[in-house]
């Protein structure tokens, strides 16, 4: 049997999926043990006990100066910024993408602008955002919006144009006006695709968030990572990176679950 026709079962697929992670953990563990054997105070590759102690200190012990649990405070601040940024970007993408995809006159005027904005490197305009919006929360949220909204706008507009032309002809034959075409035919079919676009934008959104927090913030996951790096505190940095990854995976899976529950017809097609 050809390799392209061999498919793993559920158990085999799970084991194969875990294998790369186990190999990475094994390689890290061996390298950490070797460095710590030569120098017990080595900070570059901390052992599991050092990282667990750091997690306990950051997440389950009050900070001596502020009295806060720093890891949870950082998590709440970052998730609030991420949620606002991605939520605003998704709302803009839905509105602009719909009218850009449905209305040819609007598309002729708006599509070039959206395409141009999607090519602007968001991190390059971060100083401009700090100058215009200040160093507060607004500049961080705006970076996420500017970094993710144009891409999602283009994706939504493209998905609108990919809808079968027969549907558009039929609904107009039945007497639907432009508003009814958008709300009754296009919108219900675009919403699950918008969720897919949001899921694909989570990675860039986290990148922009951490970059903004690292430069100008007093709390947040990105702020904490860049704060402790001056002390080479890898025992804090690595758990924070792992925690950010876990949060991203959980958000992605929750969006995927919501998509399957709300739009079973869309996922039945193998999306």
């Amino acid at each position: 049997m050809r390799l392209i026709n061999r498919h793993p079962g559920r158990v085999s697929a799970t084991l194969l999926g875990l294998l790369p992670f186990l190999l990475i953990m094994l390689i890290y563990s061996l390298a950490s043990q070797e460095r710590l054997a030569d120098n017990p105070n080595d900070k570059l590759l901390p052992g599991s006990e050092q990282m667990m102690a750091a997690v306990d200190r950051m997440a389950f012990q009050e900070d001596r100066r502020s009295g806060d649990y720093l890891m949870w405070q950082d998590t709440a601040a970052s998730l609030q910024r991420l949620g606002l940024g991605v939520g605003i970007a998704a709302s803009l993408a839905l509105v602009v993408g719909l009218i850009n995809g449905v209305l040819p006159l609007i598309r002729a005027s708006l599509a070039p602008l959206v395409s141009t904005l999607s090519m602007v490197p968001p991190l390059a305009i971060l100083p401009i955002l700090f100058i215009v919006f200040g160093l507060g929360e607004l500049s961080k949220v705006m970076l996420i919006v500017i970094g993710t909204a144009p891409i999602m706008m283009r994706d939504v507009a493209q998905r609108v144009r990919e809808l079968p032309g027969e549907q558009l002809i039929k609904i107009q034959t039945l007497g639907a006006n432009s508003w009814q075409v958008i709300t009754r035919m296009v919108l219900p079919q675009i919403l699950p695709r918008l969720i897919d676009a949001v899921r694909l934008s989570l990675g860039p959104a986290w990148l922009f968030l951490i970059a903004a927090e690292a430069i100008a913030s007093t709390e947040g996951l990105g702020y904490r990572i860049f704060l402790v790096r001056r002390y080479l505190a890898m025992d804090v940095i690595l758990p924070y990176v792992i925690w950010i990854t876990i949060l991203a995976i959980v958000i992605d899976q929750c969006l995927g679950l919501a998509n399957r529950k709300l739009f079973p017809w869309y996922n039945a097609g193998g999306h």
Side-chain angles (χ1 to χ4, degrees):
M1 181 182 293
R2 295 182 178 88
L3 287 176
I4 61 172
N5 295 322
R6 298 185 64 179
H7 300 278
R10 179 173 298 180
V11 176
S12 299
T14 301
L15 294 176
L16 289 172
L18 290 175
L19 182 59
F21 296 98
L22 295 176
L23 288 175
I24 293 173
M25 293 173 60
L26 177 61
I27 293 172
Y28 178 87
S29 178
L30 293 175
S32 175
Q33 291 177 11
E34 183 176 350
R35 291 186 66 94
L36 292 175
D38 295 336
N39 179 14
N41 296 320
D42 182 74
K43 294 184 177 181
L44 182 61
L45 297 177
S48 57
E49 293 182 359
Q50 294 170 286
M51 288 191 285
M52 291 301 295
V55 170
D56 179 69
R57 184 176 69 255
M58 300 296 293
F60 303 108
Q61 296 181 23
E62 292 184 357
D63 181 61
R64 294 180 180 178
R65 290 190 302 173
S66 65
D68 297 320
Y69 295 92
L70 295 180
M71 191 170 184
W72 304 120
Q73 182 187 45
D74 293 335
T75 300
S78 292
L79 288 180
Q80 182 179 17
R81 294 164 184 154
L82 183 75
L84 284 173
V86 173
I88 294 172
S91 301
L92 290 174
L94 179 61
V95 175
V96 176
L98 276 176
I99 62 176
N100 204 5
V102 174
L103 305 177
L105 291 176
I106 299 296
R107 180 164 63 248
S109 174
L110 202 57
L113 175 63
V114 173
S115 299
T116 302
L117 291 177
S118 67
M119 299 300 171
V120 176
L123 294 180
I125 63 173
L126 182 56
I128 300 175
L129 296 179
F130 285 144
I131 293 172
V132 175
F133 298 109
L135 301 179
E137 297 299 301
L138 183 57
S139 59
K140 303 174 185 63
V141 173
M142 287 304 299
L143 179 63
I144 298 174
V145 174
I146 293 174
T148 58
I151 300 295
M152 287 195 283
M153 290 175 186
R154 294 184 66 182
D155 185 73
V156 170
Q158 180 62 32
R159 297 296 173 263
V160 171
R161 292 195 292 270
E162 290 175 355
L163 294 177
E166 295 83 358
Q167 295 183 6
L168 183 61
I169 294 173
K170 290 179 180 178
I171 193 170
Q172 290 183 90
T173 302
L174 294 173
N177 56 35
S178 297
W179 175 251
Q180 291 172 326
V181 170
I182 293 174
T183 56
R184 297 187 181 183
M185 188 200 87
V186 179
L187 181 61
Q189 298 186 70
I190 289 303
L191 287 177
R193 293 169 171 85
L194 176 65
I195 294 178
D196 285 344
V198 171
R199 295 177 67 185
L200 292 174
S201 298
L202 284 178
W206 275 105
L207 171 63
F208 303 140
L209 171 65
I210 292 172
E213 288 181 343
I215 296 175
S217 187
T218 57
E219 60 182 1
L221 297 171
Y223 161 77
R224 195 67 57 187
I225 289 175
F226 279 79
L227 176 67
V228 301
R229 71 181 174 89
R230 67 185 68 176
Y231 310 113
L232 300 179
M234 294 293 286
D235 58 334
V236 175
I237 294 174
L238 290 177
Y240 261 63
V241 172
I242 294 172
W243 178 235
I244 291 172
T245 305
I246 292 173
L247 289 175
I249 293 173
V250 170
I251 295 172
D252 177 75
Q253 292 300 309
C254 288
L255 288 173
L257 179 62
N259 206 349
R260 291 190 295 272
K261 295 294 185 181
L262 295 174
F263 309 103
W265 55 267
Y266 174 74
N267 295 276
H271 294 279

